[in-house]
């Protein structure tokens, strides 16, 4: 079992602590929180060991799990990596692309592994359909959330949309060619609603909408490709695949047949891939343990997370224009 320590015991940090305590792949050594008073309460309530300095925690573990506010990701990752520790960093990887690139360089220099918490990659509905998504040419995503003051210190693109940016980049095997975006600040100083159109070199177009001031929560993505349509509901953890194939000579009574203007007949058939329920946060943390123990590439690499951050900033720049 790998010895792990958690930096940051806020809302998400507490979830990480609870799951790491249950994990069979990690031994939770303890945590450090900048707010020592808050840390003392959590230590008293749950029995986790509280460290009074970051240095002491880093010294006691093999892996550091960084669940602090984004502004301190770089500083925490830098000191952890320079101490020779593997790092799991919550998304987004850092505040700027330059910081993210330095984290990559440090991890290479000190020969440690890093993974970033883009948790939707571990969503069971996405996992169930991932092998079906082949060369999508149009993608539409809606990620809408009810207002929550947590997270409003960053634009909605870095708070919510980055989940979908990462998921899209993981299935579109092409470079970004062009980005157009618009956003509106309603409550916060930064945009609360954003829409982005990403065009890829291979012709694929992705249309992303994110809002943190909606009346209801929604996290849906639809992928359109030749002869297929794939729908993934990240919130409800459901998915549907609609495929087209050449119609049989003699259709059955219940076959759904479409005929185009040229007279070509296609049969529509539906499938609901089996979704194996999981705890996505525990799975991402344990997949990192596997990558360390087996010396394999983590599922969400530092480079991939940096690409997602780079695209997020291109969207933010486009909104400013």
């Amino acid at each position: 079992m790998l010895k792990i320590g958690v930096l940051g015991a806020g809302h998400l940090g507490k979830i990480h602590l609870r799951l790491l305590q249950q994990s069979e792949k990690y031994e939770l050594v303890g945590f450090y929180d900048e707010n020592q008073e808050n840390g003392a309460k959590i230590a008293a309530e749950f029995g986790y060991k509280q460290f009074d300095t970051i240095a002491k925690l880093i010294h006691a573990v093999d892996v550091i799990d960084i669940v602090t506010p984004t502004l301190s990701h770089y500083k925490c990752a830098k000191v952890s990596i320079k101490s020779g520790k593997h790092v799991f960093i919550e998304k987004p990887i850092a505040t700027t692309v330059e910081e993210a690139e330095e984290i990559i360089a440090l991890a290479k220099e000190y020969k440690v592994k890093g993974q970033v918490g883009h948790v939707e990659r571990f969503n069971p509905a996405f996992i169930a359909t991932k092998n079906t998504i082949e060369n999508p040419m149009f993608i539409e995503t809606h990620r809408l959330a009810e207002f929550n003051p947590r997270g409003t210190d960053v634009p909605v693109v870095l708070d919510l949309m980055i989940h979908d940016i990462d998921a899209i980049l993981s299935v579109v095997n092409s470079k970004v060619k062009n980005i157009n975006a618009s956003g509106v600040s309603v409550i916060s100083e930064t945009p609360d609603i954003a829409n982005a159109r990403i065009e890829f070199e291979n012709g694929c177009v992705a249309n992303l909408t994110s809002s943190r001031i909606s009346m209801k929560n929604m996290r849906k993505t639809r992928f359109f490709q030749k002869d297929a349509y794939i729908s993934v509901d990240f919130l409800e953890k459901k998915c549907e695949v609609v495929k087209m194939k050449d119609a049989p000579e003699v259709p059955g009574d219940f076959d759904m047949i479409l005929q185009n203007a040229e007279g070509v007949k296609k049969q529509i058939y539906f499938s609901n891939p089996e979704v194996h329920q999981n705890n996505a946060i525990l799975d991402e943390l344990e997949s990192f343990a596997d990558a360390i123990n087996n010396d394999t590439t983590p599922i969400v690499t530092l480079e991939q997370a940096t690409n997602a951050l780079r695209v997020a900033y291109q969207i933010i720049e486009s909104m400013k224009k």
Side-chain angles (χ1 to χ4, degrees), residues 196-247:
R197 177 186 166 92
I198 305 173
E199 296 172 23
F200 293 88
E201 287 179 358
N202 69 350
C204 176
V205 172
N207 195 356
L208 297 81
T209 302
S210 290
S211 165
R212 57 182 173 206
I213 50 164
S214 293
M215 301 302 284
K216 61 174 185 177
N217 293 324
M218 178 193 283
R219 304 203 315 250
K220 285 185 178 175
T221 301
R222 297 183 292 169
F223 302 89
F224 298 85
Q225 60 196 39
K226 185 170 172 58
D227 295 336
Y229 154 77
I230 299 130
S231 168
V232 180
D233 189 328
F234 288 95
L235 185 62
E236 299 294 334
K237 298 177 173 54
K238 292 177 183 172
C239 55
E240 184 178 50
V241 177
V242 181
K243 285 198 168 181
M244 312 273 278
K245 62 180 180 183
D246 292 333

Side-chain angles (χ1 to χ4, degrees), residues 13-240:
K14 284 194 282 191
I15 293 171
H16 279 226
L17 283 164
R18 176 172 56 81
L19 294 172
L20 289 167
Q21 183 84 323
Q22 298 168 10
S23 173
E24 293 177 3
K25 299 192 179 187
Y26 290 107
E27 177 194 332
L28 176 62
V29 173
F31 75 98
Y32 170 82
D33 191 81
E34 206 166 53
N35 182 334
Q36 290 283 294
E37 201 178 317
N38 175 54
K41 277 185 200 165
I42 290 163
E45 187 177 348
F46 300 104
Y48 311 129
K49 183 179 178 185
Q50 180 188 13
F51 283 74
D52 56 7
T53 68
I54 287 181
K56 285 179 188 172
L57 177 64
I58 289 172
H59 183 69
V61 300
D62 309 307
V63 185
I64 286 287
D65 179 12
I66 299 168
V67 204
T68 57
T70 307
L71 284 169
S72 62
H73 284 187
Y74 167 71
K75 181 181 72 177
C76 295
K78 189 175 177 180
V79 68
S80 302
I81 293 168
K82 283 190 165 185
S83 303
K85 310 300 177 178
H86 304 290
V87 289
F88 183 96
I89 310 171
E90 227 351 284
K91 69 86 200 160
I93 177 172
T95 313
T96 67
V97 173
E98 290 72 28
E99 286 180 353
E101 285 173 339
E102 195 173 330
I103 291 170
I104 292 170
L106 283 168
K108 284 179 182 166
E109 184 183 342
Y110 287 89
K111 295 182 171 55
V112 298
K113 292 193 183 292
Q115 180 166 321
V116 179
H118 283 288
V119 71
E120 293 292 36
R121 296 266 209 109
F122 295 83
N123 188 298
F126 187 55
I127 291 168
T129 52
K130 188 125 190 250
N131 290 339
T132 319
I133 303 168
E134 300 165 355
N135 199 27
M137 295 312 288
F138 181 66
I139 302 168
E140 191 164 39
T141 77
H142 287 88
R143 185 170 293 264
L144 316 177
E146 294 173 13
F147 184 71
N148 181 344
R150 231 175 15 90
T152 53
D153 53 330
V154 293
V156 71
V157 176
L158 293 177
D159 182 26
L160 298 179
M161 190 183 280
I162 196 159
H163 283 293
D164 298 310
I165 295 168
D166 172 71
I168 288 167
L169 293 178
S170 77
V171 295
V172 178
N173 191 17
S174 178
K175 289 181 180 173
V176 172
K177 181 172 123 184
N178 191 35
I179 290 175
N180 286 297
S182 58
V184 182
S185 304
V186 180
I187 296 176
S188 321
E189 294 298 309
T190 58
D192 297 302
I193 300 174
N195 175 263
R197 177 186 166 92
I198 305 173
E199 296 172 23
F200 293 88
E201 287 179 358
N202 69 350
C204 176
V205 172
N207 195 356
L208 297 81
T209 302
S210 290
S211 165
R212 57 182 173 206
I213 50 164
S214 293
M215 301 302 284
K216 61 174 185 177
N217 293 324
M218 178 193 283
R219 304 203 315 250
K220 285 185 178 175
T221 301
R222 297 183 292 169
F223 302 89
F224 298 85
Q225 60 196 39
K226 185 170 172 58
D227 295 336
Y229 154 77
I230 299 130
S231 168
V232 180
D233 189 328
F234 288 95
L235 185 62
E236 299 294 334
K237 298 177 173 54
K238 292 177 183 172
C239 55
E240 184 178 50

